[in-house]
Amino acid sequence: MFMKYIFLIALLFSVSSHAAKYTFDECVELSNGVNADTPLDLNNGFILDYSTCMDFPDGPRLIYLYRVGNSISKNQIGPQYANNVRSNLCANSQFVQLLSGLKDVQYQYYNNSTGKYLTSFEANINDCN
């Protein structure tokens, strides 16, 4: 699981490197860099379908939309999964830098067969403190 995030970090930083808050347009540029390689089958029941951005007064949100296979239940991508993702993200200095430039990153999960929404969670710089 961690390797898929390293791959996404590499995609993001190949588009731009930034020290301050991203603008919405810069977030869209980051998202477009990710989307150049989507859909991306991560070979573990997860498919990164695409990413997008939303603008907020305190900065943009980068959103990843994942389709998951029928073998993955909502419980498997619950609070413990979200905490593991946050922990792995915060262990990577490049992703910490990315988080510091955004309001947050949101992960949304949908069932691949039915399109049914399963869950979502956010990761932000405060998770790394």
Side-chain angles (χ1 to χ4, degrees), residues 3 17-18 22 59 64 73 85 92 95:
M3 289 308 296
S17 182
H18 206 273
Y22 287 96
Y64 293 123
S73 72
V85 169
N92 183 293
F95 210 94

Side-chain angles (χ1 to χ4, degrees), residues 97-111:
Q97 181 182 355
L98 176 70
L99 286 174
S100 70
L102 296 167
K103 169 186 174 51
D104 56 28
V105 177
Q106 183 180 66
Y107 298 86
Q108 295 183 10
Y109 298 87
Y110 299 84
N111 181 280

